[in-house]
Amino acid sequence: KKTSACFAPSNSKEIGYIGEAYVFKCEQVKLIAAGRKDLADKIVQHYKVLDYCGWDITSYDEQGNEIFIEVKSTTGGNIFGFIMSPNEWSKANTPDIAARYKIYREQKALSQTPEIHVIDNKNELISPNEKEAKPTGYKIGN
């Protein structure tokens, strides 16, 4: 995946969109390779239609089960250290969704070799000394 000099992402929203599009393509490739083009054609790109359901992509595993993917992209290589909105965190903890909610942490998002680390259990993100995730602040304005 390349970025041209004409399009140099300057903010996290642009980098996020690039990451979401990359993960969407990866999900299509995964399902088509598994012989499930029928499922690849049903993937929903919530990020494109500004549907704030609590995740970016509804996809499927190879058996046809829905999975809910929240994409977190970075141009660096750090797996941890990203922000989840209250809506995303709430959905990740909803009983009928939690087991199928996955965080795809895309690292090196603008490089020729982006990497995706799949976090199946959001609780692995919380340090052992904490009981739950807590907001540390709110961004106001631009």
Side-chain angles (χ1 to χ4, degrees), residues 1 9 12-26 47 56-57 69-74 104-110 114-116:
K1 178 179 63 168
S12 61
K13 284 189 185 218
E14 293 173 45
I15 293 166
Y17 186 84
I18 289 169
E20 292 157 348
Y22 181 74
V23 168
F24 168 71
K25 285 302 221 182
C26 289
Y47 66 94
D56 298 311
I57 298 168
I69 301 170
E70 176 57 31
V71 181
K72 296 296 182 185
S73 300
T74 181
Y104 282 34
R105 178 62 160 159
E106 183 190 16
Q107 303 160 270
K108 304 176 193 171
L110 303 180
E115 299 170 10
I116 296 175

Side-chain angles (χ1 to χ4, degrees), residues 16-84:
Y17 186 84
I18 289 169
E20 292 157 348
Y22 181 74
V23 168
F24 168 71
K25 285 302 221 182
C26 289
E27 285 296 297
Q28 283 185 313
V29 167
K30 171 192 83 175
L31 291 169
I32 291 169
R36 298 303 309 259
K37 184 175 181 327
D38 61 318
L39 296 175
D41 292 340
K42 290 173 51 176
I43 298 172
V44 179
Q45 301 171 75
H46 301 286
Y47 66 94
K48 258 191 163 176
V49 295
L50 304 177
D51 176 9
Y52 302 108
C53 58
W55 57 90
D56 298 311
I57 298 168
T58 298
S59 187
Y60 301 87
D61 64 19
E62 291 84 348
Q63 292 75 43
N65 302 304
E66 274 187 321
I67 58 173
F68 310 110
I69 301 170
E70 176 57 31
V71 181
K72 296 296 182 185
S73 300
T74 181
T75 56
N78 190 3
I79 294 173
F80 303 106
F82 55 86
I83 295 171
M84 290 184 75

Side-chain angles (χ1 to χ4, degrees), residues 68 89-101 122:
F68 310 110
W89 188 253
S90 173
K91 293 299 182 178
N93 286 289
T94 300
D96 60 333
I97 292 173
R100 298 176 291 146
Y101 192 99
K122 58 153 177 29

